[in-house]
Amino acid sequence: MQFDFDRIIDRRGTHCEKWDTMEEHYGVSPEDGLPLWVADMDFRPPQEVNDAFARAAEFGIHGYYGGDADYRAAVVEWLLRRHGATIAPEWICLTNGIVNGVNIAVQAYCSPGDTVILQTPVYYPFFGAVTNNGCQVGVNRLVLENGKYSMNFSELEELCDRGARMLILCSPHNPGGRVWSREELERVAEICLSRGVLIVSDEIHHDLVFDGHTHTMLAGISEEISQKIITCTSASKTFNLAGTMTGNMIIADPGLRARFKEQMGKCGLYDHNLYGPMAAVAAYTHGAPWLDALRRYLRGNFELVDKAARRMTGVTNMELEGTYLAWLDFSGTGLEKGEVIRRIQAEARVALSHGQAFGPGGEHFMRLNFACPRGMLEEALDRLVLVFS
Ligand SMILES: Cc1ncc(COP(=O)(O)O)c(C=O)c1O
């Protein structure tokens, strides 16, 4: 089946964060700028998803959502079919997205002053989830070796021994695109769970893994691990449905689940967006061929980024194993951070996410979202090559 990922669709003026707030965030006008920052894609989802939206529009009544058995069944089936993990439908707690779910998890399981471990550089809203809820970040910095990240297990052990309460794991890792191996995940689980440190495993990028790599669900490793952790998944990254703000916090242990639900109640989170589950059911039911074509297209885009980076003096592109977020190291340019940003934003008129926001280790990096039509990506890369060669 053919899918048209090359088609450029003008998203400007459609309440699109990526385009319509680019100027506010980066001073780059949507008139002549290109947004390769916030992590959504400039592609339409599988046709069946838009058909479901069209049917809902035709039906025309948009009241409160209820009756989520089809959604739960679709999630269960997807995780079994694509990831070999068996979960029960009742383990799923629906949230308004994963950032929402991670914040509620910190509130539910931690007390003010507790340490929550983050493996930096990491998806920056995790920092807010920790500090906005009165906890402190325990930095477990990733080690950059031979051009890719690995975990610093001895530091992780120390942080756990010093009484950390929780680890927010990012798997696959954003940024840097590591798809953690089964062995790495077993080690993390062993270190944390033997010391009573709860793991919240954010696996939102689980479906966006390049050929040759396999995502291992932490909860799929053993029954014992699955009973002691919380897994976050969503159809939103996979099928470009981020605006529907729907995520799953999958919690097997009844006690942990009850505490999570109690905290959801304290946040008044009883109802859910009508369209998120509806779109996800269509995507999970029909979207597998689209997803496999997308993954190949994204790999091709990654190779374009790689080629362009080789033409930029002093810039190194990390080899990704998954995600659509290239992680470019500008330290070899010898330029001040401000000058790197000025060239990207003011001269190339491209918006990239600033690495500094991802915490310790991210300072010299910029994150480039290459989930856009190839024509647009080539234009952005040409501009970047021009200002860094
Ligand atoms: C690791 C990670 N978690 C969560 C999210 C966002 O999740 P949501 O939009 O469901 O809050 C992102 C988005 O880029 C992400 O990279």
Side-chain angles (χ1 to χ4, degrees), residues 65 67-68 70-72 74 94 235 241 244-247 272-284:
Y65 172 70
D68 58 12
D70 63 338
Y71 175 69
R72 289 173 187 276
L94 243 84
L241 302 169
T244 62
M245 298 309 305
T246 299
H272 305 288
N273 187 293
L274 170 65
Y275 302 105
M278 176 201 80
V281 169
Y284 284 147

Side-chain angles (χ1 to χ4, degrees), residues 258-286:
R259 271 167 75 183
F260 189 85
K261 286 195 167 166
E262 185 188 352
Q263 190 59 36
M264 283 175 74
K266 288 183 186 168
C267 300
L269 187 56
Y270 301 109
D271 283 311
H272 305 288
N273 187 293
L274 170 65
Y275 302 105
M278 176 201 80
V281 169
Y284 284 147
T285 309
H286 304 287

Side-chain angles (χ1 to χ4, degrees), residues 117-120 138-142 151-153 155-156 159:
I117 303 169
L118 299 182
Q119 297 180 304
T120 74
V139 173
N140 179 209
R141 197 165 151 166
L142 296 176
M151 292 188 196
N152 182 339
F153 292 114
E155 190 181 53
L156 179 62
L159 285 160

Side-chain angles (χ1 to χ4, degrees), residues 121 141 327 329 337 354-366:
R141 197 165 151 166
W327 191 231
D329 182 357
K337 199 164 42 198
H354 298 185
Q356 193 174 4
F358 295 78
E363 297 83 356
H364 300 292
F365 287 81
M366 300 293 281

Side-chain angles (χ1 to χ4, degrees), residues 37-40 95-102 122-126 169-175 202-205 232-237 241-248 323-325 358 367:
W37 59 292
V38 67
D40 73 16
T95 58
N96 291 344
I98 300 306
V99 173
N100 178 225
V102 168
V122 75
Y123 179 57
Y124 48 86
F126 288 173
L169 178 72
C170 194
S171 173
H173 198 85
N174 167 22
D202 180 346
E203 304 188 20
I204 195 169
H205 294 277
C232 319
T233 73
S234 169
S236 67
K237 283 292 136 188
L241 302 169
T244 62
M245 298 309 305
T246 299
N248 310 310
T323 78
Y324 49 73
L325 305 161
F358 295 78
R367 196 189 71 173

